[in-house]
Amino acid sequence: MPEPTRLRRQVSPLELFYDLVFVFAVSQLSHHLLEHLTWRGAAETAVLLVAVFGSWAYTSLEATFLDIGRLVTRWMVVVAMGLGLFMNSAISRAFADRAWAFVVPLLAILFVANAVTALAARNDALREHFRRTLVWTAVSAPLWLLGATVDSGPRLWWWAAAALVDLTGTWLAHPLPGRRLISREMEFEPSTWSNASGSSSSSCSARPSSPPAAR
């Protein structure tokens, strides 16, 4: 099997601005923990962190796979950025009176970003993977919504269950019966990546000669 090829691409200003939205989220999470220095406060912060990190990671990954130079990708990031600002502003009161203000933008980011990638990705393996991701998101979404309807006590348990579903899906690459992604064999789009190196770039390894495998 050939050695992995080192591939790089420039990070766009839009992606950097998107990251700044979630720097704000980290500060909100820190404030929440400082204001609730208890075991329950730590659990609440951990659940919120899973949600916030998941929405950031999915959108960032999808922007990478779809090529940030494409119009559909830029619009996806802009929409996720706007929704992320609303979601992150509600973090400090998510377990009080702003549960819906947190959950609705969260689910909108996940469904929009995954749906765009499932439709607009340029190879079958990516489209198939993000269709499976949508199924896993649809499983956790009712748990997030149910948590928003109850008091803060049981809310933690509903949201912890939703976060566990999301973490499990991510860890296992969102398998479905008979369908599983082998991420190390994922093929990157040649229009997105090149062998050029630079100081302000993101990089990863790919195997251009190996076809993506979904089992």
Side-chain angles (χ1 to χ4, degrees):
M1 183 175 291
E3 290 295 317
T5 303
R6 198 70 175 173
L7 302 175
R8 296 178 180 269
R9 76 163 175 83
Q10 295 296 108
V11 177
S12 72
L14 181 59
E15 289 171 290
L16 295 176
F17 277 117
Y18 180 74
D19 290 344
L20 285 177
V21 171
F22 287 88
V23 171
F24 170 58
V26 172
S27 69
Q28 293 292 92
L29 289 166
S30 301
H31 283 302
H32 182 80
L33 182 58
L34 285 173
E35 292 173 1
H36 303 84
L37 280 176
T38 63
W39 287 111
R40 179 184 171 83
E44 290 177 356
T45 304
V47 167
L48 295 172
L49 176 62
V50 169
V52 168
F53 180 77
S55 62
W56 170 80
Y58 280 131
T59 309
S60 298
L61 180 66
E62 288 153 1
T64 298
F65 277 126
L66 285 180
D67 182 0
I68 196 63
R70 296 174 65 187
L71 182 62
V72 65
T73 311
R74 292 198 298 270
W75 272 111
M76 180 191 72
V77 173
V78 169
V79 169
M81 191 185 305
L83 291 168
L85 284 172
F86 282 103
M87 177 185 72
N88 297 338
S89 67
I91 286 174
S92 62
R93 303 288 297 172
F95 280 95
D97 57 354
R98 301 201 66 194
W100 289 107
F102 177 79
V103 162
V104 171
L106 167 67
L107 294 179
I109 291 171
L110 294 177
F111 277 111
V112 168
N114 289 330
V116 167
T117 311
L119 293 171
R122 288 172 172 166
N123 63 66
D124 292 338
L126 273 179
R127 289 193 294 272
E128 164 67 17
H129 172 67
F130 284 99
R131 284 194 292 268
R132 295 200 307 275
T133 304
L134 278 171
V135 172
W136 277 78
T137 303
V139 171
S140 68
L143 302 175
W144 289 110
L145 294 172
L146 281 169
T149 66
V150 299
D151 293 334
S152 60
R155 181 177 303 157
L156 176 59
W157 295 104
W158 284 110
W159 283 5
L164 181 61
V165 171
D166 290 339
L167 275 177
T168 302
T170 302
W171 184 264
L172 299 178
H174 302 99
L176 290 178
R179 305 296 296 171
R180 180 172 175 268
L181 178 74
I182 308 299
S183 59
R184 66 178 177 272
E185 296 178 357
M186 177 62 67
E187 182 180 272
F188 290 103
E189 297 182 18
S191 62
T192 308
W193 301 83
S194 68
N195 288 324
S197 61
S199 57
S200 59
S201 64
S202 60
S203 63
C204 61
S205 296
R207 301 180 185 274
S209 60
S210 300
R215 297 176 183 171

